[in-house]
């Protein structure tokens, strides 16, 4: 564990507290334009660091790592909650951004061009609700919704209680888009047309609304259920589980589903997938006994208040 922490906490040229990652580095393991700082990796990194605090020995070496982890967690939480978070207010702020700003007083810290905001986001964003967007890096924001990263953000308490509630509000408001006929969309929306050809390299598996390009994955059901229980919204999980129960056995437990609503068994989906079965069973058991949530969820750290004003102002 200390060897891994030495690698992850080492100094480098990167000035952000997030982890720099290549395309295909997470659950989405093929070219899908997630290079940079994908939300999945950052949420998992945050959770891993918090778990490390509980597991490290309280000796001299352990205390040194604990100090470095605490510092990184403060910077990472501030960075993610400030720059990856999107709701109606933040979307409107980005829409009115001025570009080519300089100095620490700059509002548009990543020099994002407002014209780069995709059209779909204006209809997708509800009045109440929000989520952590897929990626943020200089002059680039990936506004896509990624289920795994947002659920882990809730379970790890990377998301504040208010943000966790907003994520649940978004799922309820955009049920057809994010859940549809089969929980749960791995990302939304799908890449298509010329963008699909450029970003994926004409990947025949990641065609629109299939596999990792907007496909629906039953294995994500347990993460959704855990997030629902933690936020006090078990009715959302119950509704999703009932949807899954109506099809999974009949369809022989496929790996993923295709289509905008997840109506079709994935064109290359293998059947009798262990993780599809396991995702359903874990979700069902957690809903029956919510105390199981303690095995996979971390409570909010009341001491974790931002100690910095700008993400680039931290050093080791």
């Amino acid at each position: 564990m200390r060897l891994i922490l030495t690698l992850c906490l080492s100094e480098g040229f990167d000035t952000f507290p997030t982890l720099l990652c290549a395309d295909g580095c997470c659950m989405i393991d093929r070219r899908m334009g997630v290079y940079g700082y994908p939300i999945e990796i950052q949420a998992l990194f945050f959770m891993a660091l918090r778990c490390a605090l509980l597991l490290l020995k309280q000796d001299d070496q352990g205390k040194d790592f604990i100090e470095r982890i605490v510092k990184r967690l403060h910077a990472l939480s501030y960075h993610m909650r400030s720059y990856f978070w999107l709701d109606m207010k933040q979307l409107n702020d980005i829409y009115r951004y001025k570009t080519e700003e300089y100095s620490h007083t700059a509002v548009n810290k990543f020099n994002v061009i407002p014209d780069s905001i995709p059209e779909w986001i204006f209809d997708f964003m509800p009045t109440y609700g929000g989520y952590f967007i897929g990626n943020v890096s200089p002059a680039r924001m990936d506004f896509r919704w990624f289920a795994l990263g947002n659920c882990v953000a809730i379970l790890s308490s990377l998301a504040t209680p208010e943000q966790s509630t907003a994520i649940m509000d978004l799922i309820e408001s955009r049920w057809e888009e994010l859940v549809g006929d089969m929980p749960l969309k791995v990302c939304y929306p799908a890449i298509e047309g010329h963008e699909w050809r450029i970003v994926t390299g004409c990947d025949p598996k990641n065609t629109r609304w299939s596999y990792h390009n907007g496909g629906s994955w039953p294995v994500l059901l347990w993460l959704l259920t855990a997030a629902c229980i933690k936020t006090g919204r078990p009715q959302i999980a119950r509704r999703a589980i009932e949807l899954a129960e109506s099809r999974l056995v009949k369809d022989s437990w496929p790996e993923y589903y295709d289509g905008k609503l997840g109506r079709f068994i994935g064109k290359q989906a293998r059947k009798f997938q262990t993780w599809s079965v396991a995702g359903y069973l874990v979700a069902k058991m957690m809903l029956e006994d919510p105390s199981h949530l303690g095995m996979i969820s971390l409570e909010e750290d009341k001491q974790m208040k931002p100690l910095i004003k700008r993400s680039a102002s931290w050093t080791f």
Side-chain angles (χ1 to χ4, degrees):
M1 185 164 61
R2 287 171 175 170
L3 288 172
I4 294 171
L5 287 169
T6 298
L7 178 64
C8 292
L9 300 177
S10 61
E11 292 188 50
F13 291 107
D14 201 357
T15 59
F16 305 127
T18 41
L19 281 182
L20 181 62
C21 302
D23 227 345
C25 62
C26 50
M27 179 181 175
I28 294 174
D29 58 4
R30 297 160 79 96
R31 282 183 58 189
M32 272 281 289
V34 298
Y35 62 89
Y37 309 90
I39 178 61
E40 279 185 21
I41 296 299
Q42 313 315 322
L44 287 168
F45 182 43
F46 181 86
M47 193 167 204
L49 290 177
R50 289 202 62 194
C51 290
L53 286 179
L54 303 173
L55 296 172
L56 284 167
K57 291 181 179 179
Q58 295 289 330
D59 54 18
D60 290 341
Q61 194 175 9
K63 288 179 180 177
D64 177 61
F65 274 110
I66 288 171
E67 289 179 8
R68 294 170 67 187
I69 289 171
V70 169
K71 192 171 184 179
R72 184 67 167 255
L73 283 171
H74 279 297
L76 182 59
S77 61
Y78 179 84
H79 184 92
M80 298 299 296
R81 293 168 183 175
S82 301
Y83 303 130
F84 274 68
W85 181 252
L86 188 72
D87 54 19
M88 182 61 82
K89 179 184 180 303
Q90 180 67 5
L91 179 60
N92 199 72
D93 288 345
I94 297 171
Y95 181 70
R96 291 169 49 81
Y97 268 170
K98 294 179 174 60
T99 57
E100 305 301 335
E101 293 182 298
Y102 301 97
S103 86
H104 66 276
T105 61
V107 175
N108 185 2
K109 297 185 185 303
F110 291 90
N111 199 35
V112 174
I113 309 298
D115 287 345
S116 69
I117 302 174
E119 287 295 325
W120 62 266
I121 192 67
F122 295 106
D123 294 326
F124 178 74
M125 181 59 68
T127 304
Y128 300 102
Y131 65 103
F132 290 100
I133 63 175
N135 221 318
V136 175
S137 56
R140 176 176 179 257
M141 297 183 82
D142 183 348
F143 289 89
R144 286 177 293 176
W145 148 274
F146 288 87
L148 182 57
N150 277 273
C151 287
V152 173
I154 291 174
L155 296 177
S156 65
S157 290
L158 171 59
T160 64
E162 295 76 18
Q163 288 173 334
S164 296
T165 297
I167 293 171
M168 289 294 114
D169 289 342
L170 177 86
I171 292 173
E172 277 198 307
S173 299
R174 295 293 175 256
W175 186 264
E176 288 296 300
E177 293 91 336
L178 302 180
V179 181
D181 290 346
M182 175 54 64
L184 178 65
K185 282 269 178 267
V186 66
C187 72
Y188 180 89
I191 300 173
E192 49 190 330
H194 181 65
E195 186 182 12
W196 168 78
R197 286 189 288 272
I198 296 298
V199 172
T200 73
C202 297
D203 188 345
K205 200 165 187 177
N206 270 331
T207 52
R208 63 178 185 171
W209 308 114
S210 180
Y211 198 54
H212 287 148
N213 189 12
S216 300
W217 291 71
V219 67
L220 295 173
L221 185 62
W222 77 269
L223 278 159
L224 174 63
T225 301
C228 290
I229 293 172
K230 183 169 183 180
T231 53
R233 310 280 273 274
Q235 71 277 7
I236 299 177
R238 195 169 291 113
R239 183 181 175 189
I241 289 173
E242 287 172 359
L243 268 178
E245 285 177 332
S246 68
R247 298 190 58 192
L248 283 176
V249 176
K250 181 178 64 177
D251 295 340
S252 303
W253 304 96
E255 182 183 20
Y256 66 94
Y257 285 78
D258 284 355
K260 241 183 177 181
L261 298 178
R263 294 178 59 194
F264 308 100
I265 297 174
K267 58 186 175 183
Q268 295 189 44
R270 280 32 172 190
K271 295 190 176 183
F272 300 106
Q273 289 287 291
T274 304
W275 61 356
S276 295
V277 178
Y280 165 73
L281 290 177
V282 172
K284 193 78 171 174
M285 292 171 72
M286 277 197 295
L287 203 57
E288 290 172 355
D289 185 357
S291 67
H292 290 317
L293 181 67
M295 293 187 287
I296 55 170
S297 175
L298 297 172
E299 292 304 311
E300 184 186 18
D301 184 354
K302 302 294 185 182
Q303 304 300 316
M304 194 173 294
K305 298 183 183 296
L307 301 177
I308 56 174
K309 298 300 182 185
R310 303 196 311 278
S311 64
S313 65
W314 65 284
T315 56
F316 285 123

